[in-house]
Amino acid sequence: MKKDKKICVIGLGYIGLPTACYLASSGYQVIGVDINKKKIESLVKSKLPFFEPGLGKLFKTARKNLEISLKSQKADIFIISVPTPITSKKKADLKFVIQAAKDINKVLNNGNLVILESTVPPGTVEKVVLPILLKGHKNFKIYLSHAPERAIPGNTLLEMKNNDRIIGGIDKKSAFLAKQIYSSFVKGDICLTDATTAEFVKLIENTFRDINIAFANELAKLSDKIDVNVWEAIKLANLHPRVNIHSPGPGVGGHCIGVVPWFLINTRPNDTQAIKLARQINDSMPAYVIKYISLMLKGIKNPRITILGVAYKANVDDWRETPALQIIKLAKNKKWQVKIHDPLVKNFPYSITTDFNKATEDSDCLVLITNHNFYKKINPEQIRNMRVGILLIKKNGRKQVLK
Ligand code: SAJ
């Protein structure tokens, strides 16, 4: 297919920026748009706003076809890739999607294709985005699709290229046209459906993971009570050909897995009880971690703890919705002294160090929240500077004291 079309990608975040880069690298003229002036200024200087393996190289290749702009401009195709956070009432906050659709409306032409990548509640494309786009353009024929992303932060570039993808259109041609665009860099299968099904599919994928993690977290609590090592148990259970239990952890962070189930719950609260319970279980984990640390610190006066890792998961610098925030807040409520270390995270709401030695010095308890590769290389010699010189660990479901 000829690449003579101009594509405007709105939102240069974790997904929008790599998408813009892939499209520009494959030969399209791309305008990358973001409302964040600082981000635009640093991108113009070829400085990436976040870390993602391989993105620097891809950005360099893309640059000659990639214009960076603060405003949406006339184009043939528009891709909306803006965040959809939740409000304090756990409702989908569509303000960025709505603003992007309004901005496109101002420069829209008859025959344009608009693709929404952002994760949204079922019906948003048809009931929210379409009317905004068509306001004042009643005679236009426009094409509109939903193409939810599936890439995992930390491996975004490979997954964007290799994962199968679902695209749903408001009509068949919309889906078909969007498929043509993504085929320029997606090597996985691209399956077509209608817009609302595509919205629903994206939500149930992330909700499946949330429920599975909730099950693993419940197993962790249960195993503690009956003196079983949950890691070993899950590993053994997963040897069954039809069992795939996820891993327990300190809570579910990030802007996707812990957020998206609410889009379903709020669509039909009475029909989503398992989904809601899973959310509650996962949200209970930071308090469980604190309860656990309290046991470890019993008898220590004015305890000092060190939080190791505050990114929402391993090897990324993203701390959005990280369970570490809740754990730190609860620890401070208990009047424990808290030091925080993370090798990757910057601009965290609490003071943070990348100096491991300083972070562990005189600490009573190291709490590994995020399993960055960095921590896998730590050896006992490096934590001899802890205050009481005793390290409490839980191994095989039993407490052990190392001197
Ligand atoms: N987590 C666990 N146990 C696990 C797996 C994850 O506690 O077994 C925790 C992580 O530590 C993290 C959170 O869950 O705090 C979410 O991490 P994740 O790796 O499960 O997912 P995300 O948010 O980085 O990316 C997910 C992916 N969705 C699915 O795997 C179904 C990704 O493919 C999506 O593109 C992304 O959400 C998105 O943007 O929706």
Side-chain angles (χ1 to χ4, degrees), residues 15 119 148-154 159 163 202 204-210 212-213 216-217 245-258 260 282 311-314 316 320-323 369-371:
I15 297 299
T119 306
E149 54 82 18
R150 283 177 159 174
I152 197 126
E159 292 216 352
N163 289 357
K202 168 71 195 188
I204 63 175
E205 287 167 8
N206 280 5
T207 302
F208 161 79
R209 197 155 167 85
D210 198 40
N212 198 326
I213 296 168
N217 282 334
I245 306 168
H246 291 358
S247 307
V252 168
H255 61 299
C256 305
I257 305 281
V260 158
N282 288 335
Y312 86 88
K313 66 175 191 176
V316 298
R320 284 175 299 171
E321 318 291 335
T322 175
I369 297 297
T370 312
N371 54 337

Side-chain angles (χ1 to χ4, degrees), residues 43-72:
L43 279 170
V44 166
K45 290 183 202 143
S46 294
K47 210 173 148 230
L48 297 183
F50 55 89
F51 172 73
E52 182 61 43
L55 187 58
K57 204 170 154 208
L58 182 66
F59 183 78
K60 262 192 196 151
T61 322
R63 198 64 182 93
K64 70 174 188 317
N65 287 340
L66 178 63
E67 185 186 332
I68 308 286
S69 168
L70 261 174
K71 266 190 163 178
S72 300

